[in-house]
């Protein structure tokens, strides 16, 4: 069991982290799970933080915008030379980029989009971007790995910080979306079985977090929660594992490509088309799509 903090201690941690709002989402306190002591109100730490941010919402105006000449990276072709990369989120993003269309979100237009203009800039990358031609909705997606322990608040703050950091006009120009994009949405994407999903299932106990997401939406960018319809997927590179006889790898593999294998009971399960995922009990593949969640 982790250490408990009082509300006063939590507020002090928030105030210290808020000295630099560009990195606020990385503060340790943002990922504190659980509640304060019963005598201190038994309040969720994330609710205390969300309440503070609602009361001091202008803090987000301190996030520095980073200007870039172009966001589009010519070498982004859905493959990677680093077959041994352990960054599961990056590997899943690559696999989804190969999928091209991510229903019901539209076309995957890029992945791992850098926000830095120079190496010393403190900014991350947009994991995935999708664009729905029929609605004009551009989604900036923060992808979390299966069984991620990050709080939902942390995920929301991370993608909101990225949104505030980027030069939206230049981003739209970079992808030929100026005049086409009618709305931008920021979207944490998580798996069933994750901390984010558990918190989503108990949002009735996280009304300040809901209020914060609503405030962001009212302030110009809609927060949209997305979920995979399963708990886990594995990503593997078409390297020696296939040469050594993984059952069912009949299709020629693009060098450096990442293939999704949804987790199933059979250890010899074949790589499946990205349009399909096996039922956990029967192993029978069926169509799947990302879930857009209400809150």
């Amino acid at each position: 069991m982790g250490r408990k903090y009082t509300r006063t201690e939590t507020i002090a941690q928030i105030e210290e982290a808020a000295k630099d709002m560009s990195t606020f989402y990385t503060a340790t306190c943002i990922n504190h799970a659980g509640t304060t002591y019963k005598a201190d109100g038994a309040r969720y730490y994330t609710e205390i933080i969300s309440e503070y941010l609602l009361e001091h919402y202008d803090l987000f105006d301190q996030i520095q915008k980073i200007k870039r000449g172009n966001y589009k990276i010519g070498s982004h072709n859905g493959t990677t030379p680093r077959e041994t990369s352990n960054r599961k989120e990056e590997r899943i993003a690559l696999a989804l980029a190969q999928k091209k269309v991510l229903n019901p979100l539209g076309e995957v237009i890029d992945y791992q989009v850098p926000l830095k203009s120079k190496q010393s800039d403190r900014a991350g990358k947009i994991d995935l971007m999708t664009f729905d031609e029929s609605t004009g909705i551009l989604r900036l997606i923060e992808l979390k790995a299966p069984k991620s322990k990050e709080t939902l608040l942390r995920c929301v703050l991370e993608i909101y910080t990225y949104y505030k950091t980027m030069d939206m006009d230049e981003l739209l120009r970079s992808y030929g979306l100026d005049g086409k994009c009618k709305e931008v949405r920021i979207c944490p994407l998580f798996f069933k079985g994750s901390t984010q999903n558990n918190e989503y299932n108990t949002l009735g106990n996280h009304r300040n977090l809901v209020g914060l997401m609503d405030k962001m939406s009212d302030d110009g960018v809609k927060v949209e929660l997305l979920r995979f319809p399963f708990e886990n997927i594995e990503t593997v590179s078409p390297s020696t594992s296939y040469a050594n006889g993984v059952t069912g790898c009949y299709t020629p593999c693009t060098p450096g490509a990442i293939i999704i294998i949804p987790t199933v009971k059979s250890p010899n399960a074949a790589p499946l088309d990205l349009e399909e995922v096996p039922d956990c009990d029967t192993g029978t593949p069926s169509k799947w799509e990302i879930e857009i969640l209400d809150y």
Side-chain angles (χ1 to χ4, degrees), residues 95-116:
L96 294 177
Q98 293 168 17
K99 183 176 167 64
K100 304 299 184 186
V101 175
L102 193 58
N103 289 325
L105 310 181
E107 179 187 359
V108 180
I109 60 173
D110 210 347
Y111 59 95
Q112 294 295 300
V113 179
L115 301 180
K116 290 182 178 182

Side-chain angles (χ1 to χ4, degrees), residues 27-164:
T28 303
C29 63
I30 308 298
N31 262 337
H32 284 167
T35 66
T36 61
Y37 287 107
K38 187 175 181 180
D40 198 33
R43 297 193 62 196
Y44 286 101
Y45 301 116
T46 52
E47 280 294 275
I48 295 172
I49 298 167
S50 297
E51 180 181 54
Y52 183 92
L53 291 172
L54 279 168
E55 293 173 351
H56 302 82
Y57 194 77
D58 58 348
L59 283 171
F60 290 114
D61 294 336
Q62 298 176 18
I63 297 174
Q64 296 294 309
K65 194 173 293 295
I66 297 175
K67 296 283 188 178
R68 277 185 63 95
N70 194 334
Y71 284 92
K72 197 169 185 178
I73 306 297
S75 60
H76 279 192
N77 59 4
T79 67
T80 174
R82 295 183 298 157
E83 294 195 356
T84 57
S85 171
N86 290 322
R87 294 202 60 215
K88 190 161 189 176
E89 292 169 3
E90 180 179 327
R91 294 167 69 84
I92 294 173
L94 282 166
L96 294 177
Q98 293 168 17
K99 183 176 167 64
K100 304 299 184 186
V101 175
L102 193 58
N103 289 325
L105 310 181
E107 179 187 359
V108 180
I109 60 173
D110 210 347
Y111 59 95
Q112 294 295 300
V113 179
L115 301 180
K116 290 182 178 182
S117 178
K118 55 183 184 297
Q119 191 59 37
S120 59
D121 288 335
R122 289 178 296 172
K125 297 178 180 180
I126 303 293
D127 290 325
L128 281 172
M129 292 200 314
T130 65
F131 183 67
D132 187 340
E133 194 84 38
S134 66
T135 61
I137 296 175
L138 172 67
R139 289 178 171 90
L140 312 178
I141 298 174
E142 176 60 27
L143 171 67
K144 292 304 169 186
K147 305 185 187 306
S148 167
K149 300 298 183 184
E150 292 182 10
T151 63
L152 184 55
L153 172 63
R154 204 268 192 197
C155 303
V156 170
L157 290 176
E158 183 170 3
I159 192 62
Y160 186 61
T161 300
Y162 292 170
Y163 167 77
K164 297 283 283 186

Side-chain angles (χ1 to χ4, degrees), residues 20 49 59 82 112 143 145 176 180 219 224 254 258 279 292:
D20 185 350
I49 298 167
L59 283 171
R82 295 183 298 157
Q112 294 295 300
L143 171 67
K180 296 181 180 180
D219 198 41
E224 187 174 68
T254 303
I258 301 293
D279 180 270
I292 300 176

